mmCIF file with all atom_site columns, all heavy atoms in Angstrom:
data_model
loop_
_atom_site.group_PDB
_atom_site.id
_atom_site.type_symbol
_atom_site.label_atom_id
_atom_site.label_alt_id
_atom_site.label_comp_id
_atom_site.label_asym_id
_atom_site.label_entity_id
_atom_site.label_seq_id
_atom_site.pdbx_PDB_ins_code
_atom_site.Cartn_x
_atom_site.Cartn_y
_atom_site.Cartn_z
_atom_site.occupancy
_atom_site.B_iso_or_equiv
_atom_site.pdbx_formal_charge
_atom_site.auth_seq_id
_atom_site.auth_comp_id
_atom_site.auth_asym_id
_atom_site.auth_atom_id
_atom_site.pdbx_PDB_model_num
ATOM 1   N N   . THR A 1 1  ? -116.841 58.797 358.699 1.00 0.00 ? 1  THR A N   1
ATOM 2   C CA  . THR A 1 1  ? -117.500 58.178 357.555 1.00 0.00 ? 1  THR A CA  1
ATOM 3   C C   . THR A 1 1  ? -116.939 56.790 357.279 1.00 0.00 ? 1  THR A C   1
ATOM 4   O O   . THR A 1 1  ? -115.723 56.576 357.372 1.00 0.00 ? 1  THR A O   1
ATOM 5   C CB  . THR A 1 1  ? -117.348 59.054 356.299 1.00 0.00 ? 1  THR A CB  1
ATOM 6   O OG1 . THR A 1 1  ? -117.912 60.343 356.565 1.00 0.00 ? 1  THR A OG1 1
ATOM 7   C CG2 . THR A 1 1  ? -118.081 58.436 355.118 1.00 0.00 ? 1  THR A CG2 1
ATOM 8   N N   . VAL A 1 2  ? -117.829 55.886 356.922 1.00 0.00 ? 2  VAL A N   1
ATOM 9   C CA  . VAL A 1 2  ? -117.484 54.544 356.498 1.00 0.00 ? 2  VAL A CA  1
ATOM 10  C C   . VAL A 1 2  ? -117.925 54.391 355.049 1.00 0.00 ? 2  VAL A C   1
ATOM 11  O O   . VAL A 1 2  ? -118.988 54.893 354.654 1.00 0.00 ? 2  VAL A O   1
ATOM 12  C CB  . VAL A 1 2  ? -118.139 53.476 357.368 1.00 0.00 ? 2  VAL A CB  1
ATOM 13  C CG1 . VAL A 1 2  ? -117.809 52.069 356.860 1.00 0.00 ? 2  VAL A CG1 1
ATOM 14  C CG2 . VAL A 1 2  ? -117.710 53.637 358.817 1.00 0.00 ? 2  VAL A CG2 1
ATOM 15  N N   . TYR A 1 3  ? -117.117 53.730 354.252 1.00 0.00 ? 3  TYR A N   1
ATOM 16  C CA  . TYR A 1 3  ? -117.402 53.565 352.834 1.00 0.00 ? 3  TYR A CA  1
ATOM 17  C C   . TYR A 1 3  ? -117.528 52.094 352.474 1.00 0.00 ? 3  TYR A C   1
ATOM 18  O O   . TYR A 1 3  ? -116.958 51.219 353.118 1.00 0.00 ? 3  TYR A O   1
ATOM 19  C CB  . TYR A 1 3  ? -116.287 54.183 351.996 1.00 0.00 ? 3  TYR A CB  1
ATOM 20  C CG  . TYR A 1 3  ? -116.007 55.634 352.276 1.00 0.00 ? 3  TYR A CG  1
ATOM 21  C CD1 . TYR A 1 3  ? -115.002 56.010 353.140 1.00 0.00 ? 3  TYR A CD1 1
ATOM 22  C CD2 . TYR A 1 3  ? -116.775 56.635 351.674 1.00 0.00 ? 3  TYR A CD2 1
ATOM 23  C CE1 . TYR A 1 3  ? -114.748 57.338 353.411 1.00 0.00 ? 3  TYR A CE1 1
ATOM 24  C CE2 . TYR A 1 3  ? -116.535 57.956 351.937 1.00 0.00 ? 3  TYR A CE2 1
ATOM 25  C CZ  . TYR A 1 3  ? -115.510 58.322 352.788 1.00 0.00 ? 3  TYR A CZ  1
ATOM 26  O OH  . TYR A 1 3  ? -115.261 59.643 353.064 1.00 0.00 ? 3  TYR A OH  1
ATOM 27  N N   . LEU A 1 4  ? -118.257 51.856 351.403 1.00 0.00 ? 4  LEU A N   1
ATOM 28  C CA  . LEU A 1 4  ? -118.302 50.542 350.799 1.00 0.00 ? 4  LEU A CA  1
ATOM 29  C C   . LEU A 1 4  ? -118.129 50.718 349.295 1.00 0.00 ? 4  LEU A C   1
ATOM 30  O O   . LEU A 1 4  ? -119.032 51.192 348.606 1.00 0.00 ? 4  LEU A O   1
ATOM 31  C CB  . LEU A 1 4  ? -119.621 49.825 351.095 1.00 0.00 ? 4  LEU A CB  1
ATOM 32  C CG  . LEU A 1 4  ? -119.709 48.385 350.601 1.00 0.00 ? 4  LEU A CG  1
ATOM 33  C CD1 . LEU A 1 4  ? -118.732 47.500 351.359 1.00 0.00 ? 4  LEU A CD1 1
ATOM 34  C CD2 . LEU A 1 4  ? -121.135 47.850 350.743 1.00 0.00 ? 4  LEU A CD2 1
ATOM 35  N N   . GLN A 1 5  ? -116.952 50.377 348.811 1.00 0.00 ? 5  GLN A N   1
ATOM 36  C CA  . GLN A 1 5  ? -116.674 50.406 347.397 1.00 0.00 ? 5  GLN A CA  1
ATOM 37  C C   . GLN A 1 5  ? -117.147 49.106 346.782 1.00 0.00 ? 5  GLN A C   1
ATOM 38  O O   . GLN A 1 5  ? -116.710 48.027 347.203 1.00 0.00 ? 5  GLN A O   1
ATOM 39  C CB  . GLN A 1 5  ? -115.173 50.602 347.130 1.00 0.00 ? 5  GLN A CB  1
ATOM 40  C CG  . GLN A 1 5  ? -114.790 50.599 345.661 1.00 0.00 ? 5  GLN A CG  1
ATOM 41  C CD  . GLN A 1 5  ? -115.351 51.794 344.920 1.00 0.00 ? 5  GLN A CD  1
ATOM 42  O OE1 . GLN A 1 5  ? -115.268 52.912 345.401 1.00 0.00 ? 5  GLN A OE1 1
ATOM 43  N NE2 . GLN A 1 5  ? -115.924 51.555 343.755 1.00 0.00 ? 5  GLN A NE2 1
ATOM 44  N N   . MET A 1 6  ? -118.020 49.201 345.809 1.00 0.00 ? 6  MET A N   1
ATOM 45  C CA  . MET A 1 6  ? -118.655 48.046 345.202 1.00 0.00 ? 6  MET A CA  1
ATOM 46  C C   . MET A 1 6  ? -118.262 47.985 343.733 1.00 0.00 ? 6  MET A C   1
ATOM 47  O O   . MET A 1 6  ? -118.651 48.845 342.950 1.00 0.00 ? 6  MET A O   1
ATOM 48  C CB  . MET A 1 6  ? -120.172 48.133 345.359 1.00 0.00 ? 6  MET A CB  1
ATOM 49  C CG  . MET A 1 6  ? -120.631 48.404 346.770 1.00 0.00 ? 6  MET A CG  1
ATOM 50  S SD  . MET A 1 6  ? -122.358 48.942 346.878 1.00 0.00 ? 6  MET A SD  1
ATOM 51  C CE  . MET A 1 6  ? -123.195 47.458 346.388 1.00 0.00 ? 6  MET A CE  1
ATOM 52  N N   . ASN A 1 7  ? -117.504 46.969 343.385 1.00 0.00 ? 7  ASN A N   1
ATOM 53  C CA  . ASN A 1 7  ? -117.071 46.774 342.018 1.00 0.00 ? 7  ASN A CA  1
ATOM 54  C C   . ASN A 1 7  ? -117.644 45.489 341.453 1.00 0.00 ? 7  ASN A C   1
ATOM 55  O O   . ASN A 1 7  ? -118.107 44.624 342.186 1.00 0.00 ? 7  ASN A O   1
ATOM 56  C CB  . ASN A 1 7  ? -115.540 46.726 341.933 1.00 0.00 ? 7  ASN A CB  1
ATOM 57  C CG  . ASN A 1 7  ? -114.871 47.994 342.390 1.00 0.00 ? 7  ASN A CG  1
ATOM 58  O OD1 . ASN A 1 7  ? -115.410 49.078 342.197 1.00 0.00 ? 7  ASN A OD1 1
ATOM 59  N ND2 . ASN A 1 7  ? -113.696 47.845 342.985 1.00 0.00 ? 7  ASN A ND2 1
ATOM 60  N N   . SER A 1 8  ? -117.622 45.383 340.134 1.00 0.00 ? 8  SER A N   1
ATOM 61  C CA  . SER A 1 8  ? -118.108 44.177 339.456 1.00 0.00 ? 8  SER A CA  1
ATOM 62  C C   . SER A 1 8  ? -119.486 43.792 339.946 1.00 0.00 ? 8  SER A C   1
ATOM 63  O O   . SER A 1 8  ? -119.773 42.633 340.254 1.00 0.00 ? 8  SER A O   1
ATOM 64  C CB  . SER A 1 8  ? -117.125 43.015 339.650 1.00 0.00 ? 8  SER A CB  1
ATOM 65  O OG  . SER A 1 8  ? -115.854 43.341 339.179 1.00 0.00 ? 8  SER A OG  1
ATOM 66  N N   . LEU A 1 9  ? -120.367 44.753 339.988 1.00 0.00 ? 9  LEU A N   1
ATOM 67  C CA  . LEU A 1 9  ? -121.689 44.530 340.546 1.00 0.00 ? 9  LEU A CA  1
ATOM 68  C C   . LEU A 1 9  ? -122.510 43.555 339.725 1.00 0.00 ? 9  LEU A C   1
ATOM 69  O O   . LEU A 1 9  ? -122.409 43.525 338.483 1.00 0.00 ? 9  LEU A O   1
ATOM 70  C CB  . LEU A 1 9  ? -122.421 45.865 340.669 1.00 0.00 ? 9  LEU A CB  1
ATOM 71  C CG  . LEU A 1 9  ? -121.973 46.712 341.863 1.00 0.00 ? 9  LEU A CG  1
ATOM 72  C CD1 . LEU A 1 9  ? -122.401 48.163 341.694 1.00 0.00 ? 9  LEU A CD1 1
ATOM 73  C CD2 . LEU A 1 9  ? -122.525 46.145 343.159 1.00 0.00 ? 9  LEU A CD2 1
ATOM 74  N N   . LYS A 1 10 ? -123.288 42.774 340.416 1.00 0.00 ? 10 LYS A N   1
ATOM 75  C CA  . LYS A 1 10 ? -124.150 41.764 339.818 1.00 0.00 ? 10 LYS A CA  1
ATOM 76  C C   . LYS A 1 10 ? -125.607 42.049 340.156 1.00 0.00 ? 10 LYS A C   1
ATOM 77  O O   . LYS A 1 10 ? -125.889 42.695 341.156 1.00 0.00 ? 10 LYS A O   1
ATOM 78  C CB  . LYS A 1 10 ? -123.776 40.372 340.352 1.00 0.00 ? 10 LYS A CB  1
ATOM 79  C CG  . LYS A 1 10 ? -122.327 39.970 340.157 1.00 0.00 ? 10 LYS A CG  1
ATOM 80  C CD  . LYS A 1 10 ? -122.034 38.644 340.827 1.00 0.00 ? 10 LYS A CD  1
ATOM 81  C CE  . LYS A 1 10 ? -120.592 38.228 340.649 1.00 0.00 ? 10 LYS A CE  1
ATOM 82  N NZ  . LYS A 1 10 ? -120.312 36.941 341.329 1.00 0.00 ? 10 LYS A NZ  1
ATOM 83  N N   . PRO A 1 11 ? -126.535 41.564 339.348 1.00 0.00 ? 11 PRO A N   1
ATOM 84  C CA  . PRO A 1 11 ? -127.950 41.764 339.675 1.00 0.00 ? 11 PRO A CA  1
ATOM 85  C C   . PRO A 1 11 ? -128.326 41.290 341.073 1.00 0.00 ? 11 PRO A C   1
ATOM 86  O O   . PRO A 1 11 ? -129.185 41.907 341.717 1.00 0.00 ? 11 PRO A O   1
ATOM 87  C CB  . PRO A 1 11 ? -128.676 40.958 338.593 1.00 0.00 ? 11 PRO A CB  1
ATOM 88  C CG  . PRO A 1 11 ? -127.751 41.000 337.425 1.00 0.00 ? 11 PRO A CG  1
ATOM 89  C CD  . PRO A 1 11 ? -126.368 40.929 338.023 1.00 0.00 ? 11 PRO A CD  1
ATOM 90  N N   . GLU A 1 12 ? -127.688 40.224 341.544 1.00 0.00 ? 12 GLU A N   1
ATOM 91  C CA  . GLU A 1 12 ? -127.991 39.722 342.869 1.00 0.00 ? 12 GLU A CA  1
ATOM 92  C C   . GLU A 1 12 ? -127.495 40.615 344.000 1.00 0.00 ? 12 GLU A C   1
ATOM 93  O O   . GLU A 1 12 ? -127.820 40.381 345.165 1.00 0.00 ? 12 GLU A O   1
ATOM 94  C CB  . GLU A 1 12 ? -127.443 38.295 343.049 1.00 0.00 ? 12 GLU A CB  1
ATOM 95  C CG  . GLU A 1 12 ? -125.985 38.144 342.674 1.00 0.00 ? 12 GLU A CG  1
ATOM 96  C CD  . GLU A 1 12 ? -125.795 37.587 341.283 1.00 0.00 ? 12 GLU A CD  1
ATOM 97  O OE1 . GLU A 1 12 ? -126.466 38.065 340.348 1.00 0.00 ? 12 GLU A OE1 1
ATOM 98  O OE2 . GLU A 1 12 ? -124.968 36.662 341.110 1.00 0.00 ? 12 GLU A OE2 1
ATOM 99  N N   . ASP A 1 13 ? -126.745 41.656 343.657 1.00 0.00 ? 13 ASP A N   1
ATOM 100 C CA  . ASP A 1 13 ? -126.359 42.641 344.652 1.00 0.00 ? 13 ASP A CA  1
ATOM 101 C C   . ASP A 1 13 ? -127.452 43.659 344.905 1.00 0.00 ? 13 ASP A C   1
ATOM 102 O O   . ASP A 1 13 ? -127.318 44.496 345.820 1.00 0.00 ? 13 ASP A O   1
ATOM 103 C CB  . ASP A 1 13 ? -125.084 43.374 344.204 1.00 0.00 ? 13 ASP A CB  1
ATOM 104 C CG  . ASP A 1 13 ? -123.880 42.471 344.136 1.00 0.00 ? 13 ASP A CG  1
ATOM 105 O OD1 . ASP A 1 13 ? -123.700 41.619 345.023 1.00 0.00 ? 13 ASP A OD1 1
ATOM 106 O OD2 . ASP A 1 13 ? -123.092 42.627 343.178 1.00 0.00 ? 13 ASP A OD2 1
ATOM 107 N N   . THR A 1 14 ? -128.503 43.612 344.119 1.00 0.00 ? 14 THR A N   1
ATOM 108 C CA  . THR A 1 14 ? -129.609 44.549 344.279 1.00 0.00 ? 14 THR A CA  1
ATOM 109 C C   . THR A 1 14 ? -130.237 44.394 345.654 1.00 0.00 ? 14 THR A C   1
ATOM 110 O O   . THR A 1 14 ? -130.661 43.301 346.041 1.00 0.00 ? 14 THR A O   1
ATOM 111 C CB  . THR A 1 14 ? -130.665 44.333 343.199 1.00 0.00 ? 14 THR A CB  1
ATOM 112 O OG1 . THR A 1 14 ? -130.099 44.617 341.924 1.00 0.00 ? 14 THR A OG1 1
ATOM 113 C CG2 . THR A 1 14 ? -131.865 45.227 343.431 1.00 0.00 ? 14 THR A CG2 1
ATOM 114 N N   . ALA A 1 15 ? -130.295 45.474 346.401 1.00 0.00 ? 15 ALA A N   1
ATOM 115 C CA  . ALA A 1 15 ? -130.810 45.447 347.764 1.00 0.00 ? 15 ALA A CA  1
ATOM 116 C C   . ALA A 1 15 ? -130.784 46.855 348.329 1.00 0.00 ? 15 ALA A C   1
ATOM 117 O O   . ALA A 1 15 ? -130.200 47.768 347.731 1.00 0.00 ? 15 ALA A O   1
ATOM 118 C CB  . ALA A 1 15 ? -129.964 44.519 348.653 1.00 0.00 ? 15 ALA A CB  1
ATOM 119 N N   . VAL A 1 16 ? -131.398 47.015 349.477 1.00 0.00 ? 16 VAL A N   1
ATOM 120 C CA  . VAL A 1 16 ? -131.212 48.202 350.278 1.00 0.00 ? 16 VAL A CA  1
ATOM 121 C C   . VAL A 1 16 ? -130.026 47.971 351.188 1.00 0.00 ? 16 VAL A C   1
ATOM 122 O O   . VAL A 1 16 ? -129.963 46.949 351.889 1.00 0.00 ? 16 VAL A O   1
ATOM 123 C CB  . VAL A 1 16 ? -132.448 48.550 351.111 1.00 0.00 ? 16 VAL A CB  1
ATOM 124 C CG1 . VAL A 1 16 ? -132.190 49.798 351.966 1.00 0.00 ? 16 VAL A CG1 1
ATOM 125 C CG2 . VAL A 1 16 ? -133.641 48.800 350.190 1.00 0.00 ? 16 VAL A CG2 1
ATOM 126 N N   . TYR A 1 17 ? -129.072 48.858 351.154 1.00 0.00 ? 17 TYR A N   1
ATOM 127 C CA  . TYR A 1 17 ? -127.849 48.718 351.941 1.00 0.00 ? 17 TYR A CA  1
ATOM 128 C C   . TYR A 1 17 ? -127.910 49.617 353.175 1.00 0.00 ? 17 TYR A C   1
ATOM 129 O O   . TYR A 1 17 ? -128.249 50.793 353.074 1.00 0.00 ? 17 TYR A O   1
ATOM 130 C CB  . TYR A 1 17 ? -126.624 49.063 351.099 1.00 0.00 ? 17 TYR A CB  1
ATOM 131 C CG  . TYR A 1 17 ? -126.266 47.969 350.120 1.00 0.00 ? 17 TYR A CG  1
ATOM 132 C CD1 . TYR A 1 17 ? -127.060 47.708 349.011 1.00 0.00 ? 17 TYR A CD1 1
ATOM 133 C CD2 . TYR A 1 17 ? -125.137 47.179 350.331 1.00 0.00 ? 17 TYR A CD2 1
ATOM 134 C CE1 . TYR A 1 17 ? -126.745 46.690 348.126 1.00 0.00 ? 17 TYR A CE1 1
ATOM 135 C CE2 . TYR A 1 17 ? -124.811 46.150 349.441 1.00 0.00 ? 17 TYR A CE2 1
ATOM 136 C CZ  . TYR A 1 17 ? -125.625 45.911 348.347 1.00 0.00 ? 17 TYR A CZ  1
ATOM 137 O OH  . TYR A 1 17 ? -125.305 44.903 347.489 1.00 0.00 ? 17 TYR A OH  1
ATOM 138 N N   . TYR A 1 18 ? -127.601 49.044 354.314 1.00 0.00 ? 18 TYR A N   1
ATOM 139 C CA  . TYR A 1 18 ? -127.686 49.730 355.588 1.00 0.00 ? 18 TYR A CA  1
ATOM 140 C C   . TYR A 1 18 ? -126.333 49.791 356.288 1.00 0.00 ? 18 TYR A C   1
ATOM 141 O O   . TYR A 1 18 ? -125.602 48.804 356.301 1.00 0.00 ? 18 TYR A O   1
ATOM 142 C CB  . TYR A 1 18 ? -128.665 49.027 356.527 1.00 0.00 ? 18 TYR A CB  1
ATOM 143 C CG  . TYR A 1 18 ? -130.088 48.978 356.034 1.00 0.00 ? 18 TYR A CG  1
ATOM 144 C CD1 . TYR A 1 18 ? -130.549 47.900 355.297 1.00 0.00 ? 18 TYR A CD1 1
ATOM 145 C CD2 . TYR A 1 18 ? -130.979 50.000 356.333 1.00 0.00 ? 18 TYR A CD2 1
ATOM 146 C CE1 . TYR A 1 18 ? -131.857 47.834 354.851 1.00 0.00 ? 18 TYR A CE1 1
ATOM 147 C CE2 . TYR A 1 18 ? -132.288 49.940 355.892 1.00 0.00 ? 18 TYR A CE2 1
ATOM 148 C CZ  . TYR A 1 18 ? -132.725 48.858 355.156 1.00 0.00 ? 18 TYR A CZ  1
ATOM 149 O OH  . TYR A 1 18 ? -134.038 48.808 354.719 1.00 0.00 ? 18 TYR A OH  1
ATOM 150 N N   . CYS A 1 19 ? -126.072 50.903 356.890 1.00 0.00 ? 19 CYS A N   1
ATOM 151 C CA  . CYS A 1 19 ? -124.914 51.061 357.752 1.00 0.00 ? 19 CYS A CA  1
ATOM 152 C C   . CYS A 1 19 ? -125.332 50.763 359.183 1.00 0.00 ? 19 CYS A C   1
ATOM 153 O O   . CYS A 1 19 ? -126.455 51.101 359.599 1.00 0.00 ? 19 CYS A O   1
ATOM 154 C CB  . CYS A 1 19 ? -124.379 52.485 357.630 1.00 0.00 ? 19 CYS A CB  1
ATOM 155 S SG  . CYS A 1 19 ? -122.905 52.841 358.585 1.00 0.00 ? 19 CYS A SG  1
ATOM 156 N N   . ASN A 1 20 ? -124.445 50.138 359.931 1.00 0.00 ? 20 ASN A N   1
ATOM 157 C CA  . ASN A 1 20 ? -124.758 49.741 361.307 1.00 0.00 ? 20 ASN A CA  1
ATOM 158 C C   . ASN A 1 20 ? -123.588 50.027 362.222 1.00 0.00 ? 20 ASN A C   1
ATOM 159 O O   . ASN A 1 20 ? -122.418 49.867 361.847 1.00 0.00 ? 20 ASN A O   1
ATOM 160 C CB  . ASN A 1 20 ? -125.107 48.238 361.350 1.00 0.00 ? 20 ASN A CB  1
ATOM 161 C CG  . ASN A 1 20 ? -125.166 47.706 362.757 1.00 0.00 ? 20 ASN A CG  1
ATOM 162 O OD1 . ASN A 1 20 ? -124.266 46.997 363.200 1.00 0.00 ? 20 ASN A OD1 1
ATOM 163 N ND2 . ASN A 1 20 ? -126.247 48.008 363.455 1.00 0.00 ? 20 ASN A ND2 1
ATOM 164 N N   . ALA A 1 21 ? -123.904 50.429 363.441 1.00 0.00 ? 21 ALA A N   1
ATOM 165 C CA  . ALA A 1 21 ? -122.890 50.644 364.449 1.00 0.00 ? 21 ALA A CA  1
ATOM 166 C C   . ALA A 1 21 ? -123.428 50.214 365.799 1.00 0.00 ? 21 ALA A C   1
ATOM 167 O O   . ALA A 1 21 ? -124.574 50.501 366.138 1.00 0.00 ? 21 ALA A O   1
ATOM 168 C CB  . ALA A 1 21 ? -122.475 52.116 364.506 1.00 0.00 ? 21 ALA A CB  1
ATOM 169 N N   . VAL A 1 22 ? -122.629 49.515 366.550 1.00 0.00 ? 22 VAL A N   1
ATOM 170 C CA  . VAL A 1 22 ? -122.927 49.178 367.940 1.00 0.00 ? 22 VAL A CA  1
ATOM 171 C C   . VAL A 1 22 ? -122.088 50.097 368.817 1.00 0.00 ? 22 VAL A C   1
ATOM 172 O O   . VAL A 1 22 ? -120.863 50.065 368.742 1.00 0.00 ? 22 VAL A O   1
ATOM 173 C CB  . VAL A 1 22 ? -122.647 47.710 368.241 1.00 0.00 ? 22 VAL A CB  1
ATOM 174 C CG1 . VAL A 1 22 ? -122.939 47.414 369.715 1.00 0.00 ? 22 VAL A CG1 1
ATOM 175 C CG2 . VAL A 1 22 ? -123.489 46.805 367.343 1.00 0.00 ? 22 VAL A CG2 1
ATOM 176 N N   . VAL A 1 23 ? -122.769 50.885 369.646 1.00 0.00 ? 23 VAL A N   1
ATOM 177 C CA  . VAL A 1 23 ? -122.109 51.919 370.408 1.00 0.00 ? 23 VAL A CA  1
ATOM 178 C C   . VAL A 1 23 ? -122.278 51.675 371.905 1.00 0.00 ? 23 VAL A C   1
ATOM 179 O O   . VAL A 1 23 ? -123.392 51.421 372.379 1.00 0.00 ? 23 VAL A O   1
ATOM 180 C CB  . VAL A 1 23 ? -122.683 53.300 370.062 1.00 0.00 ? 23 VAL A CB  1
ATOM 181 C CG1 . VAL A 1 23 ? -121.991 54.400 370.880 1.00 0.00 ? 23 VAL A CG1 1
ATOM 182 C CG2 . VAL A 1 23 ? -122.536 53.579 368.574 1.00 0.00 ? 23 VAL A CG2 1
ATOM 183 N N   . ALA A 1 24 ? -121.168 51.716 372.605 1.00 0.00 ? 24 ALA A N   1
ATOM 184 C CA  . ALA A 1 24 ? -121.211 51.612 374.060 1.00 0.00 ? 24 ALA A CA  1
ATOM 185 C C   . ALA A 1 24 ? -121.581 52.950 374.662 1.00 0.00 ? 24 ALA A C   1
ATOM 186 O O   . ALA A 1 24 ? -120.949 53.970 374.386 1.00 0.00 ? 24 ALA A O   1
ATOM 187 C CB  . ALA A 1 24 ? -119.864 51.146 374.594 1.00 0.00 ? 24 ALA A CB  1
ATOM 188 N N   . GLU A 1 25 ? -122.618 52.931 375.472 1.00 0.00 ? 25 GLU A N   1
ATOM 189 C CA  . GLU A 1 25 ? -123.087 54.139 376.158 1.00 0.00 ? 25 GLU A CA  1
ATOM 190 C C   . GLU A 1 25 ? -123.274 53.776 377.639 1.00 0.00 ? 25 GLU A C   1
ATOM 191 O O   . GLU A 1 25 ? -124.242 53.140 378.024 1.00 0.00 ? 25 GLU A O   1
ATOM 192 C CB  . GLU A 1 25 ? -124.382 54.655 375.538 1.00 0.00 ? 25 GLU A CB  1
ATOM 193 C CG  . GLU A 1 25 ? -124.230 55.060 374.081 1.00 0.00 ? 25 GLU A CG  1
ATOM 194 C CD  . GLU A 1 25 ? -125.534 55.422 373.400 1.00 0.00 ? 25 GLU A CD  1
ATOM 195 O OE1 . GLU A 1 25 ? -126.603 55.254 374.033 1.00 0.00 ? 25 GLU A OE1 1
ATOM 196 O OE2 . GLU A 1 25 ? -125.490 55.832 372.238 1.00 0.00 ? 25 GLU A OE2 1
ATOM 197 N N   . GLY A 1 26 ? -122.338 54.202 378.433 1.00 0.00 ? 26 GLY A N   1
ATOM 198 C CA  . GLY A 1 26 ? -122.328 53.773 379.821 1.00 0.00 ? 26 GLY A CA  1
ATOM 199 C C   . GLY A 1 26 ? -122.028 52.290 379.901 1.00 0.00 ? 26 GLY A C   1
ATOM 200 O O   . GLY A 1 26 ? -121.070 51.812 379.295 1.00 0.00 ? 26 GLY A O   1
ATOM 201 N N   . SER A 1 27 ? -122.862 51.576 380.611 1.00 0.00 ? 27 SER A N   1
ATOM 202 C CA  . SER A 1 27 ? -122.693 50.135 380.763 1.00 0.00 ? 27 SER A CA  1
ATOM 203 C C   . SER A 1 27 ? -123.429 49.313 379.721 1.00 0.00 ? 27 SER A C   1
ATOM 204 O O   . SER A 1 27 ? -123.354 48.088 379.742 1.00 0.00 ? 27 SER A O   1
ATOM 205 C CB  . SER A 1 27 ? -123.145 49.701 382.149 1.00 0.00 ? 27 SER A CB  1
ATOM 206 O OG  . SER A 1 27 ? -124.508 49.969 382.344 1.00 0.00 ? 27 SER A OG  1
ATOM 207 N N   . ARG A 1 28 ? -124.102 49.979 378.779 1.00 0.00 ? 28 ARG A N   1
ATOM 208 C CA  . ARG A 1 28 ? -124.892 49.284 377.772 1.00 0.00 ? 28 ARG A CA  1
ATOM 209 C C   . ARG A 1 28 ? -124.376 49.545 376.365 1.00 0.00 ? 28 ARG A C   1
ATOM 210 O O   . ARG A 1 28 ? -123.687 50.524 376.122 1.00 0.00 ? 28 ARG A O   1
ATOM 211 C CB  . ARG A 1 28 ? -126.366 49.726 377.842 1.00 0.00 ? 28 ARG A CB  1
ATOM 212 C CG  . ARG A 1 28 ? -127.079 49.342 379.110 1.00 0.00 ? 28 ARG A CG  1
ATOM 213 C CD  . ARG A 1 28 ? -128.524 49.743 379.058 1.00 0.00 ? 28 ARG A CD  1
ATOM 214 N NE  . ARG A 1 28 ? -129.284 49.269 380.187 1.00 0.00 ? 28 ARG A NE  1
ATOM 215 C CZ  . ARG A 1 28 ? -130.596 49.434 380.341 1.00 0.00 ? 28 ARG A CZ  1
ATOM 216 N NH1 . ARG A 1 28 ? -131.278 50.117 379.426 1.00 0.00 ? 28 ARG A NH1 1
ATOM 217 N NH2 . ARG A 1 28 ? -131.215 48.964 381.399 1.00 0.00 ? 28 ARG A NH2 1
ATOM 218 N N   . SER A 1 29 ? -124.755 48.654 375.477 1.00 0.00 ? 29 SER A N   1
ATOM 219 C CA  . SER A 1 29 ? -124.459 48.810 374.058 1.00 0.00 ? 29 SER A CA  1
ATOM 220 C C   . SER A 1 29 ? -125.764 48.972 373.304 1.00 0.00 ? 29 SER A C   1
ATOM 221 O O   . SER A 1 29 ? -126.761 48.325 373.604 1.00 0.00 ? 29 SER A O   1
ATOM 222 C CB  . SER A 1 29 ? -123.682 47.610 373.522 1.00 0.00 ? 29 SER A CB  1
ATOM 223 O OG  . SER A 1 29 ? -122.402 47.535 374.120 1.00 0.00 ? 29 SER A OG  1
ATOM 224 N N   . TYR A 1 30 ? -125.740 49.834 372.290 1.00 0.00 ? 30 TYR A N   1
ATOM 225 C CA  . TYR A 1 30 ? -126.925 50.113 371.499 1.00 0.00 ? 30 TYR A CA  1
ATOM 226 C C   . TYR A 1 30 ? -126.616 49.927 370.023 1.00 0.00 ? 30 TYR A C   1
ATOM 227 O O   . TYR A 1 30 ? -125.527 50.255 369.562 1.00 0.00 ? 30 TYR A O   1
ATOM 228 C CB  . TYR A 1 30 ? -127.430 51.530 371.759 1.00 0.00 ? 30 TYR A CB  1
ATOM 229 C CG  . TYR A 1 30 ? -127.900 51.747 373.168 1.00 0.00 ? 30 TYR A CG  1
ATOM 230 C CD1 . TYR A 1 30 ? -126.990 52.119 374.155 1.00 0.00 ? 30 TYR A CD1 1
ATOM 231 C CD2 . TYR A 1 30 ? -129.232 51.569 373.514 1.00 0.00 ? 30 TYR A CD2 1
ATOM 232 C CE1 . TYR A 1 30 ? -127.419 52.305 375.466 1.00 0.00 ? 30 TYR A CE1 1
ATOM 233 C CE2 . TYR A 1 30 ? -129.664 51.761 374.809 1.00 0.00 ? 30 TYR A CE2 1
ATOM 234 C CZ  . TYR A 1 30 ? -128.751 52.128 375.789 1.00 0.00 ? 30 TYR A CZ  1
ATOM 235 O OH  . TYR A 1 30 ? -129.177 52.318 377.090 1.00 0.00 ? 30 TYR A OH  1
#
């Protein structure tokens, strides 16, 4: 699990938040 602790939130922080990972699988990355 990865976490994002968000403090002192502002209206401009409003968004959809996405988790991302680049994974090596064999000789390629996905």
Side-chain angles (χ1 to χ4, degrees):
T1 302
V2 178
Y3 304 96
L4 185 66
Q5 179 66 46
M6 309 164 68
N7 298 326
S8 302
L9 283 162
K10 304 175 180 179
E12 51 262 46
D13 295 319
T14 296
V16 178
Y17 284 71
Y18 297 92
C19 182
N20 169 256
V22 178
V23 180
E25 298 173 355
S27 61
R28 294 183 173 183
S29 294
Y30 296 87

